[in-house]
Amino acid sequence: DQLPAEKEAQKQDQETMKWAGKAGIGDIQLSADTKTLYLTNLYDKKIYSFDAGLPLKVPTVATANVKSWSVPNPGCPNGDFAPWGLTLYGSNMYIGITCTAETSQDSSELKGFIYRFNPDSVQVFKEIFRFPLTYKKGPVDATNTCPSYDHWLPWTSKFPTPCATYPVGNEIHGHATYPQPLITDVAFDDNGALIIAITDTVGFQAGQ
């Protein structure tokens, strides 16, 4: 859809719900020597790299030296997995992968995985950590029945039913929450401990 020319005009884009977390660019990392840029392609589920140059320069098809690696499905049913979080630590790359359970709508299938591989070798992706996403995480809204959404739920492309409504003038406004997990970053602290960031994709879908 084409956005309106007036920046403050409202625009409804139905595709937002469908493609949030599935299209575009996820995490981006620059190599330690700043010569290579890595990124996660959400649509084809691949990691790409290209030469950024030193000093940085605008790449071209001839000079970019584009490479790609297919992120493996860690065992998520129905192929419902989403890569995003990316980091370089030492000589290895680490990628966060989420089992979304979108097809089955079975919350027990929600899982997170961290995989490692070396972009400078023929090393295959190797799982180094996995964890369930079935734990109680706490609500994001304390209004009416919203506190019942205190755990992760399978991904959905349907706008959530408001868990609370209230009048504003002649309009009815609502609180909508439907927590859907996505590992958007991985990092390591100075002691080598793994840090995992999880985002709620409804924030991408609903906006405010």
Side-chain angles (χ1 to χ4, degrees):
D1 287 350
Q2 184 176 356
L3 294 175
E6 174 54 51
K7 65 181 180 181
E8 295 183 358
Q10 293 189 17
K11 180 66 170 71
Q12 293 184 347
D13 186 353
Q14 301 297 329
E15 293 296 294
T16 300
M17 294 296 296
K18 176 182 177 181
W19 291 108
K22 299 177 186 176
I25 296 173
D27 207 353
I28 301 173
Q29 289 290 315
L30 192 62
S31 62
D33 61 9
T34 72
K35 293 181 180 180
T36 307
L37 193 69
Y38 297 87
L39 59 85
T40 311
N41 185 314
L42 308 181
Y43 183 71
D44 63 11
K45 301 180 181 180
K46 292 182 179 181
I47 298 170
Y48 284 85
S49 74
F50 61 87
D51 293 346
L54 187 62
L56 296 177
K57 63 181 184 296
V58 177
T60 66
V61 174
T63 64
N65 187 28
V66 177
K67 299 177 182 177
S68 66
W69 301 265
S70 295
V71 178
N73 181 350
C76 306
N78 303 300
D80 290 334
F81 71 100
W84 185 305
L86 195 65
T87 194
L88 283 165
Y89 183 67
S91 60
N92 292 310
M93 179 77 72
Y94 295 82
I95 177 79
I97 308 170
T98 309
C99 282
T100 66
E102 184 171 10
T103 301
S104 69
Q105 291 296 297
D106 182 354
S107 294
S108 68
E109 294 177 1
L110 293 171
K111 295 181 177 66
F113 297 82
I114 307 299
Y115 271 53
R116 178 183 66 207
F117 83 107
N118 189 321
D120 296 321
S121 73
V122 294
Q123 174 184 339
V124 295
F125 285 78
K126 182 178 180 181
E127 179 187 323
I128 66 162
F129 186 59
R130 71 165 63 190
F131 58 101
L133 288 164
T134 53
Y135 57 87
K136 186 175 181 178
K137 71 176 191 62
V140 297
D141 195 315
T143 312
N144 287 13
T145 62
C146 299
S148 64
Y149 293 97
D150 59 359
H151 52 285
W152 294 117
L153 296 165
W155 280 28
T156 181
S157 59
K158 297 180 180 178
F159 196 86
T161 301
C163 49
T165 58
Y166 56 94
V168 177
N170 295 324
E171 298 180 342
I172 298 297
H173 287 218
H175 292 233
T177 180
Y178 198 85
Q180 303 162 63
L182 176 60
I183 300 173
T184 50
D185 203 4
V186 289
F188 292 86
D189 69 10
D190 292 340
N191 296 317
L194 179 64
I195 302 170
I196 301 171
I198 304 176
T199 294
D200 183 352
T201 59
V202 80
F204 300 135
Q205 294 175 320
Q208 184 177 352

